[in-house]
Amino acid sequence: MEAMPETPERKRFFLTTPIFYVNDAPHIGHAYTEVAADVLARWHRQAGDDTWFLTGTDEHGQKILRTATANGVAPKEWADRLVESAWKPLLGTIDISNDDFIRTTDERHETGVAKFLQKLYDDGHVYAGEFEALYCVGCEEFKPKSEIVDGEGAFAGEKVCLIHSKPLELLQEKNYFFKMSAFQDRLLALYEERPDFVQPASARNEVVAFVQQGLEDLSISRTSFDWGIPIPWDHSHVTYVWFDALLNYVTATGYGADEEQFARRWPGNHIVGKDILRFHAVIWPAMLMAAGLEVPEHVFAHGWLLVGGEKMSKSKLTGIAPNEITDTFGSDAFRYYFMRAISFGHDGSFSWEDLSARYQAELANGFGNLASRVLAMNKKYFGAVMPEAGAEEEADRAIRELASVVTAAADAAIERFAIHEAIAEVWRLVDALNGYVQEQQPWALAKDPAQQGRLATVLATATEGLRALAELLHPVTPLATAKLWEALGAEGALGRLEDQPIREAGRWGRLPAGTPQQALAVLFPRIEAQAEAEAASK
Ligand code: MSP
């Protein structure tokens, strides 16, 4: 009997953002994390991987409690207000395609956290003890020595947090502790055996050095306030907010409730800012090891958006709201700019001038203009259909081969979370196609009846190039590429853009000759100087 052909197993890809504190509205630093994760999720989804993209909000702890109290409302009411008025709307503002949104006040989360804690307690990983240390409410963390510095100005004479530049508080409490120190050797072995567990390499080195210094046990409960998940065996304590928050990644995917879903999704890939790397690369895997669960697949730490050389933040009054940018430039430009201009994994400075210059040069003149020129020529010379390619010449072959090369290179870059490299690869095709049109001069070929065949080949090649670009850039600029897809008439011939197999975008001849085309809406409209100046002065 003949063997049944095996259906290739779909790659599994579970991706998360950090869950965001709801003490304030989002700024572009938060939106940056969301967009990066969204580009990765869209790429994997379009590649056919079994993708699940989770984001959400972190709502317990002292920071939220204090903000709510200062505003005269109960913490849950405050959280509800911020989630509905600011955090969920952010997802629409920047076109985030999340599959789920978890709040740490969700019932599913609170139940899962209690189950997890009880298991650790029953298995002997938790003990009661006394503790006194300096705490940063901004970070919601007892600070390690390396992040405690002397205050300046109004805070002279006090110890302040290196990240928030705000005074630390001396906390003394009877807490429950997680025996994290017991996992030091297993963590070091993990970093050793899986060198890409923490990425990029600089982040990995930092984590290894931190753990090599020696791990202490972790205080995982609080008694001085009650805004949190009760410790299941002792309701006079609530769970430490980070212990609670980290568990969102498993409570959202069925831990303790839906084993089938959990087995399908977990382990995950975490995108985090470098300020919260230690929680994800040290505490979180130790917690999972203690519970006998798999550690994450990867933890990727990105850099900060800087303003005036410092981490942009609302508390330092340098925060910029995402819609200040999208109102003028649109969400595609927001997504493209931050993903292209900043090496993912490094810090980067935001500037209105740079955003505006890249918008004009790369999006409007580079990509947008290419699309409108090629479609206009198809209309003028072929009655708005995909022309039929004839014999391939050297220049056409170069474009075809480049499309295949950049597709593979971009996919490999995405596998390494190098989003900026993936976009730079695809942009080689944008630039090459612009050069190709310039050199082949279809408008000159059109004047010579003997060159009709050559004209069709050139425009078919350029159009096939646009088809590839629409597919490859869809994860980054979903709105513009959808307009292009429509103008190419590709939906009728090939189906929905988000269903196109991105790893095969470089394969030629997919768009059939004769496919009718539509008028192209302007992809990246000219921004009036005045609107630009207004945006920059907001
Ligand atoms: N609630 C925790 C995360 C818990 S995850 C289990 C938290 N929240 S946060 O709202 O303060 O930050 C969320 C993310 O936004 C972090 O990854 C952080 O690095 C990122 N950013 C905040 N400001 C940023 C910049 N200025 N630049 C880049 N990312 C920034 O931490």
Side-chain angles (χ1 to χ4, degrees):
M1 216 173 83
E2 230 177 287
M4 290 284 284
E6 274 183 42
T7 25
E9 203 170 300
R10 279 168 84 199
K11 269 203 332 195
R12 210 188 41 78
F13 189 68
F14 172 37
L15 185 71
T16 72
T17 69
I19 50 172
F20 299 87
Y21 287 129
V22 292
N23 59 312
D24 211 338
H27 56 57
I28 59 174
H30 303 122
Y32 175 68
T33 308
E34 282 284 2
V35 167
D38 189 63
V39 170
L40 295 168
R42 283 179 186 261
W43 187 285
H44 281 272
R45 213 181 274 131
Q46 209 180 309
D49 298 343
D50 185 14
T51 304
W52 194 252
F53 173 25
L54 172 71
T55 189
T57 44
D58 190 354
E59 306 183 8
H60 293 128
Q62 235 161 328
K63 177 147 96 172
I64 313 298
L65 177 61
R66 283 187 189 177
T67 310
T69 309
N71 285 279
V73 293
K76 177 64 166 56
E77 190 183 334
W78 177 261
D80 287 347
R81 199 187 283 179
L82 266 283
V83 167
E84 292 310 322
S85 70
W87 289 94
K88 285 191 171 165
L90 169 72
L91 306 176
T93 304
I94 50 175
D95 293 316
I96 300 302
S97 65
N98 57 306
D99 296 293
D100 193 4
F101 188 98
I102 188 159
R103 299 180 55 177
T104 54
T105 51
D106 285 351
E107 222 262 323
R108 57 176 171 162
H109 178 71
E110 299 195 343
T111 316
V113 169
K115 270 196 186 154
F116 187 95
L117 272 166
Q118 189 66 52
K119 173 158 176 53
L120 256 51
Y121 187 65
D122 293 345
D123 292 349
H125 294 291
V126 175
Y127 63 93
E130 289 270 347
F131 197 50
E132 185 185 68
L134 289 172
Y135 194 79
C136 170
V137 176
C139 294
E140 292 278 21
E141 182 186 21
F142 286 106
K143 299 309 294 183
K145 280 197 198 74
S146 56
E147 290 180 10
I148 299 176
V149 295
D150 290 324
E152 289 173 8
F155 304 133
E158 292 185 74
K159 294 290 181 197
V160 303
C161 167
L162 181 66
I163 295 174
H164 290 87
S165 309
K166 294 239 176 93
L168 298 166
E169 300 175 22
L170 189 67
L171 292 194
Q172 189 190 23
E173 276 184 24
K174 178 176 170 287
N175 298 145
Y176 288 102
F177 285 80
F178 165 47
K179 287 186 198 165
M180 192 162 73
S181 56
F183 294 92
Q184 177 167 342
D185 293 342
R186 279 181 65 186
L187 286 170
L188 289 170
L190 167 69
Y191 310 139
E192 182 71 30
E193 282 158 22
R194 286 170 43 186
D196 65 354
F197 175 68
V198 182
Q199 295 184 54
S202 54
R204 173 182 180 270
N205 295 341
E206 193 190 308
V207 166
V208 171
F210 179 80
V211 176
Q212 274 170 344
Q213 278 172 18
L215 279 186
E216 290 179 6
D217 291 341
L218 180 74
S219 158
I220 58 163
S221 73
R222 297 286 181 273
T223 53
S224 54
F225 61 93
D226 65 359
W227 178 233
I229 301 176
I231 294 284
W233 61 90
D234 181 349
H235 283 201
S236 64
H237 290 236
V238 291
T239 311
Y240 169 43
V241 62
W242 266 102
F243 202 88
D244 157 351
L246 287 162
L247 283 163
N248 89 87
Y249 304 128
V250 295
T251 59
T253 41
Y255 168 77
D258 181 345
E259 289 310 319
E260 200 182 314
Q261 167 80 343
F262 188 58
R264 175 167 176 192
R265 300 298 172 208
W266 189 254
N269 293 272
H270 304 308
I271 301 297
V272 300
K274 65 181 185 181
D275 47 326
I276 57 170
L277 171 64
R278 247 190 347 250
F279 296 97
H280 286 83
V282 182
I283 298 178
W284 178 225
M287 286 165 64
L288 290 160
M289 285 171 179
L293 298 174
E294 273 186 78
V295 298
E297 229 153 42
H298 299 108
V299 176
F300 187 95
H302 66 69
W304 287 340
L305 294 190
L306 307 176
V307 170
E310 276 198 63
K311 178 182 180 223
M312 195 197 60
S313 82
K314 266 274 175 76
S315 60
K316 290 188 180 169
L317 300 178
T318 49
I320 300 170
N323 69 300
E324 290 178 46
I325 294 178
T326 56
D327 285 352
T328 305
F329 291 89
S331 58
D332 274 3
F334 185 103
R335 297 167 60 95
Y336 172 80
Y337 172 70
F338 286 108
M339 292 303 105
R340 176 82 203 257
I342 300 172
S343 299
F344 198 52
H346 292 93
D347 291 349
S349 294
F350 165 75
S351 93
W352 289 100
E353 292 73 23
D354 190 27
L355 165 64
S356 185
R358 281 184 183 269
Y359 179 89
Q360 200 51 46
E362 294 163 20
L363 291 177
N365 297 346
F367 178 36
N369 203 27
L370 171 73
S372 70
R373 277 174 101 185
V374 171
L375 282 156
M377 287 189 281
N378 283 339
K379 181 165 183 218
K380 188 165 174 191
Y381 306 131
F382 293 96
V385 301
M386 170 74 177
E388 173 139 27
E392 186 180 70
E393 293 190 4
E394 181 55 34
D396 320 329
R397 188 169 63 100
I399 292 290
R400 177 170 58 79
E401 286 177 356
L402 182 67
S404 154
V405 166
V406 304
T407 300
D411 189 51
I414 292 289
E415 283 297 319
R416 289 181 280 113
F417 300 89
I419 303 172
H420 57 291
E421 283 180 37
I423 300 177
E425 286 294 340
V426 176
W427 229 258
R428 288 173 61 201
L429 185 59
V430 174
D431 292 338
L433 280 164
N434 272 314
Y436 173 81
V437 170
Q438 212 49 40
E439 274 163 28
Q440 299 300 316
Q441 304 200 359
W443 49 89
L445 296 173
K447 289 190 184 134
D448 181 355
Q451 297 280 13
Q452 273 301 300
R454 182 66 199 140
L455 174 65
T457 304
V458 168
L459 286 179
T461 303
T463 308
E464 194 68 43
L466 290 181
R467 192 266 316 143
L469 288 178
E471 293 175 0
L472 291 166
L473 290 172
H474 187 58
V476 185
T477 54
L479 300 183
T481 48
K483 287 182 195 163
L484 177 56
W485 197 247
E486 201 186 328
L488 288 169
E491 179 138 353
L494 300 172
R496 297 188 323 167
L497 177 54
E498 56 268 42
D499 296 336
Q500 302 309 307
I502 204 164
R503 293 184 181 123
E504 287 165 40
R507 193 155 50 76
W508 240 220
R510 305 222 351 253
L511 203 56
T515 303
Q517 299 175 343
Q518 318 287 326
L520 177 69
V522 180
L523 298 187
F524 301 100
R526 173 170 286 285
I527 309 272
E528 297 305 329
Q530 197 192 340
E532 224 173 284
E534 272 168 22
S537 67
K538 266 187 206 163

